[in-house]
Amino acid sequence: MKEILLSNGEVKSMTFEEARKQFEPMVIKHMTDANNKFVYNAVEKEDFRQILDIEVWRAYEAYDIEQGNCFTTYLHFKLQKGVRNATYHRYAQKNQGTTISASAPIGDDELKLEDMFSTEDTSTDSIFFNELASIIKENVSEEEHEILQCLLNKKDFPVVDYAAKHNMTRQAANQRVKKLQKKLRQIVAQEYLEI
Protein backbone atom coordinates (compact mmCIF):
# COMPACT_ATOMS: atom_id res chain seq x y z
CA MET A 1 0.00 0.00 0.00
CA LYS A 2 1.39 3.38 -1.02
CA GLU A 3 0.26 6.97 -0.64
CA ILE A 4 -0.43 8.55 -4.02
CA LEU A 5 -0.90 12.27 -4.66
CA LEU A 6 -3.66 12.75 -7.23
CA SER A 7 -3.82 15.70 -9.61
CA ASN A 8 -6.77 17.19 -7.65
CA GLY A 9 -4.55 17.43 -4.56
CA GLU A 10 -6.13 14.43 -2.81
CA VAL A 11 -3.83 11.87 -1.20
CA LYS A 12 -5.02 8.27 -1.48
CA SER A 13 -3.52 5.04 -0.15
CA MET A 14 -3.48 2.50 -2.98
CA THR A 15 -2.23 -0.97 -3.73
CA PHE A 16 -0.62 -1.48 -7.11
CA GLU A 17 -3.80 -3.08 -8.48
CA GLU A 18 -5.89 -0.10 -7.33
CA ALA A 19 -3.41 2.33 -8.91
CA ARG A 20 -3.36 0.27 -12.11
CA LYS A 21 -7.17 0.40 -12.31
CA GLN A 22 -7.33 4.11 -11.37
CA PHE A 23 -4.85 5.15 -14.08
CA GLU A 24 -5.98 2.66 -16.74
CA PRO A 25 -7.57 5.44 -18.89
CA MET A 26 -4.19 7.20 -19.01
CA VAL A 27 -2.49 3.97 -20.13
CA ILE A 28 -5.11 3.37 -22.82
CA LYS A 29 -4.80 6.97 -24.07
CA HIS A 30 -1.01 6.67 -24.45
CA MET A 31 -1.42 3.34 -26.23
CA THR A 32 -4.17 4.60 -28.56
CA ASP A 33 -2.37 7.85 -29.40
CA ALA A 34 0.79 5.92 -30.30
CA ASN A 35 -1.03 3.25 -32.33
CA ASN A 36 -2.98 5.87 -34.27
CA LYS A 37 0.33 6.91 -35.85
CA PHE A 38 0.68 3.44 -37.37
CA VAL A 39 -2.35 3.02 -39.59
CA TYR A 40 -1.25 -0.24 -41.22
CA ASN A 41 1.30 -1.51 -38.75
CA ALA A 42 -0.02 -0.83 -35.23
CA VAL A 43 1.55 -2.55 -32.23
CA GLU A 44 -0.55 -5.53 -31.08
CA LYS A 45 -2.76 -4.21 -28.25
CA GLU A 46 -2.08 -7.00 -25.72
CA ASP A 47 1.70 -6.73 -26.17
CA PHE A 48 1.53 -2.95 -26.00
CA ARG A 49 -0.61 -3.08 -22.86
CA GLN A 50 1.84 -5.43 -21.16
CA ILE A 51 4.75 -3.08 -21.88
CA LEU A 52 2.80 -0.11 -20.47
CA ASP A 53 1.62 -2.11 -17.43
CA ILE A 54 5.28 -2.81 -16.62
CA GLU A 55 5.90 0.96 -16.71
CA VAL A 56 2.90 1.51 -14.40
CA TRP A 57 4.49 -0.99 -12.01
CA ARG A 58 7.87 0.77 -12.23
CA ALA A 59 6.22 4.14 -11.63
CA TYR A 60 4.32 2.75 -8.63
CA GLU A 61 7.44 1.12 -7.18
CA ALA A 62 9.67 4.19 -7.60
CA TYR A 63 7.06 6.86 -6.73
CA ASP A 64 7.76 8.83 -3.56
CA ILE A 65 5.05 11.21 -2.38
CA GLU A 66 7.67 13.06 -0.30
CA GLN A 67 9.05 14.60 -3.49
CA GLY A 68 5.76 16.47 -3.89
CA ASN A 69 4.95 15.37 -7.46
CA CYS A 70 1.56 14.10 -8.56
CA PHE A 71 1.64 10.44 -9.49
CA THR A 72 0.24 11.23 -12.95
CA THR A 73 3.19 13.50 -13.70
CA TYR A 74 5.60 10.74 -12.78
CA LEU A 75 3.55 8.09 -14.59
CA HIS A 76 3.36 10.17 -17.78
CA PHE A 77 7.13 9.98 -18.30
CA LYS A 78 7.22 6.26 -17.54
CA LEU A 79 4.43 5.68 -20.08
CA GLN A 80 6.32 7.76 -22.67
CA LYS A 81 9.28 5.46 -22.12
CA GLY A 82 7.00 2.43 -22.55
CA VAL A 83 5.58 3.87 -25.79
CA ARG A 84 9.12 4.49 -27.01
CA ASN A 85 10.11 0.92 -26.20
CA ALA A 86 7.00 -0.54 -27.88
CA THR A 87 7.18 1.58 -31.04
CA TYR A 88 10.87 2.29 -31.58
CA HIS A 89 11.35 -0.65 -33.93
CA ARG A 90 8.45 0.64 -36.05
CA TYR A 91 10.27 3.92 -36.62
CA ALA A 92 13.53 2.11 -37.29
CA GLN A 93 11.93 -0.17 -39.91
CA LYS A 94 9.75 2.51 -41.48
CA ASN A 95 12.14 3.51 -44.25
CA GLN A 96 14.36 0.46 -44.37
CA GLY A 97 16.03 0.04 -47.73
CA THR A 98 15.00 3.47 -49.00
CA THR A 99 17.52 6.29 -49.27
CA ILE A 100 16.16 9.71 -50.13
CA SER A 101 18.08 12.94 -49.80
CA ALA A 102 16.01 15.78 -48.37
CA SER A 103 18.24 18.31 -50.08
CA ALA A 104 18.05 16.75 -53.56
CA PRO A 105 15.90 18.69 -56.05
CA ILE A 106 12.60 17.10 -57.05
CA GLY A 107 11.72 17.45 -60.72
CA ASP A 108 12.82 20.41 -62.81
CA ASP A 109 11.80 23.31 -60.56
CA GLU A 110 14.58 23.01 -57.91
CA LEU A 111 12.02 22.31 -55.14
CA LYS A 112 13.59 20.21 -52.41
CA LEU A 113 11.98 17.78 -50.01
CA GLU A 114 13.36 19.73 -47.05
CA ASP A 115 11.44 22.82 -48.24
CA MET A 116 8.19 20.95 -47.59
CA PHE A 117 8.99 19.92 -44.01
CA SER A 118 7.21 21.71 -41.18
CA THR A 119 9.46 23.51 -38.73
CA GLU A 120 8.04 21.68 -35.71
CA ASP A 121 10.41 18.90 -34.71
CA THR A 122 8.46 15.72 -33.99
CA SER A 123 11.34 13.33 -34.59
CA THR A 124 12.10 10.61 -32.11
CA ASP A 125 15.33 12.49 -31.27
CA SER A 126 13.22 15.46 -30.18
CA ILE A 127 10.92 13.19 -28.14
CA PHE A 128 13.91 11.59 -26.44
CA PHE A 129 15.54 14.99 -25.80
CA ASN A 130 12.33 16.41 -24.30
CA GLU A 131 11.91 13.32 -22.12
CA LEU A 132 15.50 13.62 -20.86
CA ALA A 133 15.15 17.37 -20.28
CA SER A 134 11.99 16.79 -18.23
CA ILE A 135 13.65 14.11 -16.11
CA ILE A 136 16.62 16.38 -15.44
CA LYS A 137 14.43 19.42 -14.72
CA GLU A 138 12.35 17.44 -12.20
CA ASN A 139 15.44 16.27 -10.34
CA VAL A 140 17.52 19.47 -10.16
CA SER A 141 16.89 21.66 -7.14
CA GLU A 142 16.93 25.46 -7.26
CA GLU A 143 20.38 25.50 -5.65
CA GLU A 144 21.71 23.11 -8.29
CA HIS A 145 20.37 25.10 -11.25
CA GLU A 146 23.54 27.22 -11.61
CA ILE A 147 25.71 24.09 -11.36
CA LEU A 148 23.61 22.52 -14.13
CA GLN A 149 24.39 25.57 -16.29
CA CYS A 150 28.10 24.91 -15.69
CA LEU A 151 27.58 21.33 -16.87
CA LEU A 152 25.53 22.19 -19.96
CA ASN A 153 27.17 25.40 -21.14
CA LYS A 154 30.80 25.57 -20.03
CA LYS A 155 31.56 28.42 -22.41
CA ASP A 156 28.98 30.87 -20.99
CA PHE A 157 28.93 29.49 -17.44
CA PRO A 158 32.50 28.45 -16.53
CA VAL A 159 33.14 26.81 -13.17
CA VAL A 160 35.60 29.60 -12.34
CA ASP A 161 32.78 32.18 -12.48
CA TYR A 162 30.55 29.99 -10.31
CA ALA A 163 33.36 29.63 -7.76
CA ALA A 164 33.99 33.38 -7.68
CA LYS A 165 30.27 34.18 -7.34
CA HIS A 166 29.93 31.81 -4.37
CA ASN A 167 33.28 32.73 -2.81
CA MET A 168 34.80 29.25 -3.02
CA THR A 169 37.79 27.59 -4.59
CA ARG A 170 37.62 26.26 -8.13
CA GLN A 171 38.23 22.77 -6.75
CA ALA A 172 35.21 23.05 -4.42
CA ALA A 173 33.06 24.27 -7.32
CA ASN A 174 34.30 21.37 -9.48
CA GLN A 175 33.32 18.95 -6.69
CA ARG A 176 29.77 20.32 -6.79
CA VAL A 177 29.64 19.93 -10.56
CA LYS A 178 30.91 16.34 -10.32
CA LYS A 179 28.42 15.55 -7.54
CA LEU A 180 25.49 16.82 -9.67
CA GLN A 181 26.83 14.98 -12.71
CA LYS A 182 26.94 11.70 -10.75
CA LYS A 183 23.44 12.28 -9.37
CA LEU A 184 22.01 12.96 -12.83
CA ARG A 185 23.80 9.93 -14.32
CA GLN A 186 22.11 7.67 -11.75
CA ILE A 187 18.69 9.27 -12.29
CA VAL A 188 18.92 9.08 -16.09
CA ALA A 189 20.12 5.47 -15.90
CA GLN A 190 17.22 4.58 -13.60
CA GLU A 191 14.38 6.57 -15.17
CA TYR A 192 15.37 6.76 -18.83
CA LEU A 193 17.77 4.00 -19.82
CA GLU A 194 16.43 1.15 -17.69
CA ILE A 195 14.24 -1.09 -19.83
Side-chain angles (χ1 to χ4, degrees), residues 82-96:
V83 166
R84 182 193 72 207
N85 292 342
T87 62
Y88 180 76
H89 67 284
R90 301 277 196 244
Y91 287 109
Q93 292 175 353
K94 200 172 173 184
N95 294 319
Q96 208 171 44

Side-chain angles (χ1 to χ4, degrees), residues 11-60:
V11 176
K12 225 175 172 181
S13 284
M14 293 184 178
T15 63
F16 167 69
E17 285 303 321
E18 290 169 335
R20 184 175 174 253
K21 188 169 176 58
Q22 169 94 21
F23 300 104
E24 185 176 29
M26 190 173 170
V27 171
I28 291 169
K29 181 176 180 346
H30 273 76
M31 187 171 74
T32 306
D33 288 351
N35 258 344
N36 284 343
K37 294 176 185 172
F38 303 104
V39 180
Y40 301 108
N41 196 17
V43 179
E44 210 286 319
K45 284 185 179 179
E46 278 187 38
D47 294 342
F48 206 157
R49 182 63 193 266
Q50 285 178 356
I51 290 168
L52 294 187
D53 280 346
I54 289 168
E55 292 306 325
V56 174
W57 169 252
R58 287 181 175 153
Y60 180 83

Side-chain angles (χ1 to χ4, degrees), residues 14-182:
M14 293 184 178
T15 63
F16 167 69
E17 285 303 321
E18 290 169 335
R20 184 175 174 253
K21 188 169 176 58
Q22 169 94 21
F23 300 104
E24 185 176 29
M26 190 173 170
V27 171
I28 291 169
K29 181 176 180 346
H30 273 76
M31 187 171 74
T32 306
D33 288 351
N35 258 344
N36 284 343
K37 294 176 185 172
F38 303 104
V39 180
Y40 301 108
N41 196 17
V43 179
E44 210 286 319
K45 284 185 179 179
E46 278 187 38
D47 294 342
F48 206 157
R49 182 63 193 266
Q50 285 178 356
I51 290 168
L52 294 187
D53 280 346
I54 289 168
E55 292 306 325
V56 174
W57 169 252
R58 287 181 175 153
Y60 180 83
E61 278 291 290
Y63 179 71
D64 181 9
I65 196 169
E66 297 298 317
Q67 294 194 356
N69 297 322
C70 289
F71 182 73
T72 51
T73 304
Y74 192 72
L75 178 60
H76 171 74
F77 292 108
K78 290 291 187 185
L79 291 176
Q80 275 188 323
K81 187 172 107 181
V83 166
R84 182 193 72 207
N85 292 342
T87 62
Y88 180 76
H89 67 284
R90 301 277 196 244
Y91 287 109
Q93 292 175 353
K94 200 172 173 184
N95 294 319
Q96 208 171 44
T98 308
T99 308
I100 299 171
S101 172
S103 58
I106 301 169
D108 299 329
D109 57 1
E110 296 300 313
L111 178 68
K112 296 176 185 157
L113 194 56
E114 65 190 7
D115 297 334
M116 294 186 258
F117 292 152
S118 68
T119 54
E120 185 181 332
D121 185 7
T122 56
S123 67
T124 51
D125 286 347
S126 175
I127 293 168
F128 298 158
F129 174 80
N130 290 338
E131 186 180 345
L132 270 172
S134 295
I135 290 169
I136 290 169
K137 191 176 177 183
E138 277 185 6
N139 289 286
V140 173
S141 68
E142 234 176 270
E143 298 82 39
E144 293 170 327
H145 186 66
E146 281 183 273
I147 302 169
L148 180 64
Q149 292 298 323
C150 293
L151 261 173
L152 298 177
N153 190 352
K154 293 176 182 176
K155 183 181 173 194
D156 294 332
F157 298 96
V159 175
V160 177
D161 290 356
Y162 175 84
K165 181 178 178 182
H166 295 280
N167 199 22
M168 61 173 60
T169 65
R170 188 175 54 80
Q171 289 81 5
N174 272 326
Q175 286 302 315
R176 287 188 182 183
V177 170
K178 285 178 183 172
K179 184 179 175 185
L180 178 63
Q181 194 172 28
K182 184 179 178 184

